[in-house]
Amino acid sequence: MRSMRPFIEIPAADGVAEAVVARPESDGPHPGVILFMDAIGLRPRIEEMADRIASWGYVVLVPNVFYRWGTAEETSPEDELLDADARKEFFSVAMPRVHALTDDLAEPDLSAYIDALKATPGVSKGPIGVTGYCAGGRLALLAAATRPDDVAALGMFHTGGLVTQSSDSPHLRLANVDAQVLAVHADRDRSLPPEAIAQFEHALITAGVTHSATVYPGAQHGYTMADTAVYNHDASE
């Protein structure tokens, strides 16, 4: 699916990452936000979400976090994934990219994205916000932990794998987060079962992070994505 607007280019750790910028209609400067996309890629639905955030008075930067594996067009599906079989087929290709984007690879990219946003004309001085969906939630959390002085607000929506047995489990990063956190989960998300949600909440409290956590009933992983079969309008709103 092609982008709805021209890309900008961000020099990242291992090449050039495409990105889109969404702006409010009013004159700036405005606070900056980075939107970290889901595994499906930088596509019109993500740009629509960025535009909505921009309409609330923010300059929103959306990078192609999978630039190592191709352009935004190459790493996004050709059509919407409204059919469950089509979604399953696409994810068989997309998930290896998600797993390959380790913290070690992602961290220098995240600093490049933060610096690019802060240098964008019309972005006010001071801290930024980050928000992430599905796999992007982990990157948003990592960005807040890596650059705590620059990230004042962190949103995570239907983010899977927040609690693992690994030494680099995302929930362990909360000790380095100074941002206010909004964590919104889905109660039918197999990648974040109830016990993991409880562990993540405990980690937020233990780290002393100011936060709000919600679990939406009847929602699946990916429920905010209107171009997929799992979209849940009520939960998304």
Side-chain angles (χ1 to χ4, degrees):
M1 290 181 281
R2 294 183 180 275
S3 169
M4 299 187 296
R5 75 196 75 205
F7 289 118
I8 66 168
E9 294 184 341
I10 299 174
D14 292 313
V16 175
E18 298 163 306
V20 296
V21 177
R23 296 179 178 276
E25 292 184 1
S26 59
D27 293 335
H30 298 282
V33 170
I34 300 177
L35 189 160
F36 291 102
M37 64 198 191
D38 59 354
I40 304 175
L42 180 48
R43 61 199 192 281
R45 171 55 181 165
I46 294 295
E47 294 181 54
E48 291 170 0
M49 296 167 74
D51 284 337
R52 187 170 185 183
I53 296 172
S55 74
W56 301 332
Y58 301 94
V59 177
V60 185
L61 175 75
V62 190
N64 172 25
V65 301
F66 300 125
Y67 70 89
R68 291 177 178 85
W69 293 271
T71 65
E73 185 174 355
E74 290 168 342
T75 53
S76 300
E78 293 183 1
D79 299 303
E80 295 182 336
L81 302 180
L82 300 176
D83 177 79
D85 290 337
R87 185 173 183 271
K88 181 178 180 181
E89 180 180 357
F90 176 78
F91 270 85
S92 69
V93 176
M95 290 312 294
R97 291 193 289 263
V98 173
H99 296 310
L101 188 57
T102 61
D103 289 1
D104 287 345
L105 280 182
E107 283 193 33
D109 290 341
L110 299 175
S111 280
Y113 304 148
I114 292 172
D115 291 341
L117 174 62
K118 292 174 73 70
T120 298
V123 174
S124 57
K125 295 181 179 180
I128 65 168
V130 294
T131 183
Y133 302 82
C134 298
R138 175 181 68 89
L139 297 177
L141 172 55
L142 185 58
T146 302
R147 297 278 293 268
D149 292 339
D150 290 307
V151 178
L154 162 62
M156 293 178 289
F157 296 84
H158 48 76
T159 301
L162 285 174
V163 178
T164 71
Q165 299 303 311
S166 173
S167 61
D168 63 353
S169 175
H171 80 288
L172 299 176
R173 294 280 190 165
L174 289 170
N176 301 114
V177 171
D178 287 336
Q180 296 190 37
V181 174
L182 173 66
V184 186
H185 313 297
D187 73 341
R188 295 171 60 188
D189 189 342
R190 290 179 295 178
S191 64
L192 196 73
E195 57 270 22
I197 292 175
Q199 285 182 264
F200 190 71
E201 173 72 10
H202 178 73
L204 284 164
I205 295 171
T206 301
V209 174
T210 301
H211 70 279
S212 174
T214 305
V215 181
Y216 283 150
Q220 300 182 56
H221 182 77
Y223 65 80
T224 62
M225 299 301 159
D227 56 354
T228 76
V230 297
Y231 178 60
N232 183 315
H233 175 79
D234 291 342
S236 182
E237 288 301 308

